[in-house]
Amino acid sequence: MSILQNATPFNSCNHSFFQRNEWLEYEKTGDFFVSTRRRWSECRKCHKQNVLIPKERQTYGIRVFHSNIKDLLNEDELPVAVNLLSELIKGNNNKRWVLLRKKLLQSYPFVLLDSTMEKLHLNGILIFKEEKVTLAWKIKQIKYHEKYVDDIYKFIGKTTLDIPIWMSNPFLSLSPPKTLHGEKLYKILLEQKKFLTQDSEAIIIDELGNQIVSSSARKGYYKFIKILYGLYENAEQHRKEYWKIFSQRVFGDTKVIQLNDKKRIQQLFGTKLEEFGIISERSEVVLSGECTWKYEGHSASSLAFKDYIAFPRDMINEMKLISWMSSSMLIIENPDLYFSIIKSKLLLNKKWSILLGSGFVSSQEVSLVYQACDLGLKEIFIWPDLDPYGLLIAQDICRKLKGQEVSIYLFGFTEEFFEQVGIYKPLEPYDIDAINKLLNQGGLQDKISKVLKKMKAEGKKAEQEILFSKLAKKDFCKCLLTESISLY
């Protein structure tokens, strides 16, 4: 049956279409293997399908690579390749090209970067993920081909892969479950442990009997097991958190859990993961402030919106800011606090813009801030929750904006603010571990060290939204300017 055909007549249906997509298998096309994202619209009622023009693809070269990577490159291309591949390794193969390109072009000329990438791409080492813009394909993301990961480590000077602790000691002791969802996870983990102790191949399957992951894919399997342990903690402790916060807590890095890992979890438990403590990620970049932008040849202004704008995430890398009014920006982690500040109009709109971070900021938020910096943004104030992850979020923003001509400040992270909150949550063991790591790393300002030590001594943490009613009675702008701690 054709994709445009259906067993029931379409002409009598009042269509209600929604869009669907899937990645196709790689096929040889000329000098490359190409995988295209197939897109179609489908009627919810009669299931009529209309094919849409594909706008995304992934490609890598067909040349067979059997030698050392350095043999593929000229002498002046070697340091470029080392830097590029090292960045991809550090970023767990999940780097946005628009940001990585900007960083690399600070050290290398465009022609040299372009020739290096082309050779790595033609030899199958780099995979380009591209979007169709007008009539041309534009690189959106680059990844290394995982089958060459050992060659890449050797090339960049690492002779052996670092074994994470969650691979060397994958199965931890668990207390018996008290919740239904905890019981489900507990059963899976005990079953997998039993398979491995019997030297059998361990396989996790979904309800239909389809394989999700196998112990033969060693790193992917043990990562999945570690995620299941984290979900068990969520279920038993009634935790609710975004994927990035979850990844930071479980693996110590926001980027370890990637899209493929999330899809595997959804295959096992379904797409709605709230019952396992995973909150759905926002699909928009939320901003309040006066600006104008251009997108697909059209210009628009934030003045046409009330209070704030919600940009679709996939729009950010394709739009260009034309003007930016505010010299100062406040980044808020907590959504409830964000909208309270917006609705109360505590900050002057022309001087201030306000960005919703919702935890660790994404590449889209960073891209927007980069553009704003080029148009006059001079100061950024970060207001996270009063817990160790709040400070990690602030440090993460500093790292991502390093090199920009912007001053960065931390607000609300002092003993005085901590004492004013009045309502607290108990610290969990992983909170204490995070505090110890922060204190041991050194270089923290005295005020920040004191509040971390106070949290640890009193065994509690706090959310900043509780302070809103007290701050609303003060000159909030003055508080930001006088009571913030300089980070960068």
Side-chain angles (χ1 to χ4, degrees), residues 58 265 276 359 438 455:
Q58 296 187 128
I265 292 295
F276 294 98
L438 285 164
M455 284 181 204

Side-chain angles (χ1 to χ4, degrees), residues 67-168:
S67 58
N68 193 309
I69 293 175
K70 69 178 182 181
D71 297 334
L72 305 174
L73 304 166
N74 297 331
E75 188 174 342
D76 55 350
E77 293 169 336
L78 290 174
V80 187
V82 169
N83 197 340
L84 171 60
L85 293 171
S86 296
E87 287 289 335
L88 294 179
I89 290 288
K90 285 191 296 183
N92 293 303
N93 217 12
N94 189 27
K95 284 276 190 177
R96 284 284 178 182
W97 176 235
V98 66
L99 300 179
L100 181 56
R101 179 178 182 272
K102 186 169 186 175
K103 182 175 182 179
L104 292 169
L105 287 176
Q106 292 175 356
S107 304
Y108 309 106
F110 171 80
V111 174
L112 189 58
L113 175 61
D114 186 57
S115 65
T116 306
M117 285 179 55
E118 183 181 7
K119 290 180 181 179
L120 295 175
H121 184 222
L122 285 169
N123 284 276
I125 296 164
L126 285 184
I127 298 173
F128 289 175
K129 185 175 181 180
E130 301 169 308
E131 285 184 319
K132 200 163 193 177
V133 181
T134 315
L135 298 176
W137 288 98
K138 181 180 178 182
I139 297 175
K140 181 181 180 182
Q141 184 183 8
I142 59 171
K143 302 185 293 184
Y144 61 79
H145 201 307
E146 296 209 1
K147 75 176 182 179
Y148 295 129
V149 66
D150 291 338
D151 300 285
I152 292 170
Y153 267 82
K154 181 180 178 182
F155 174 66
I156 65 178
K158 292 189 176 183
T159 54
T160 58
L161 297 176
D162 297 325
I163 304 296
I165 190 169
W166 43 269
M167 286 184 66
S168 58

Side-chain angles (χ1 to χ4, degrees), residues 186-198:
Y186 187 79
K187 182 180 177 181
I188 294 171
L189 289 167
L190 288 185
E191 186 179 62
Q192 293 301 307
K193 184 178 181 180
K194 180 181 177 181
F195 278 127
L196 287 180
T197 54
Q198 294 174 345

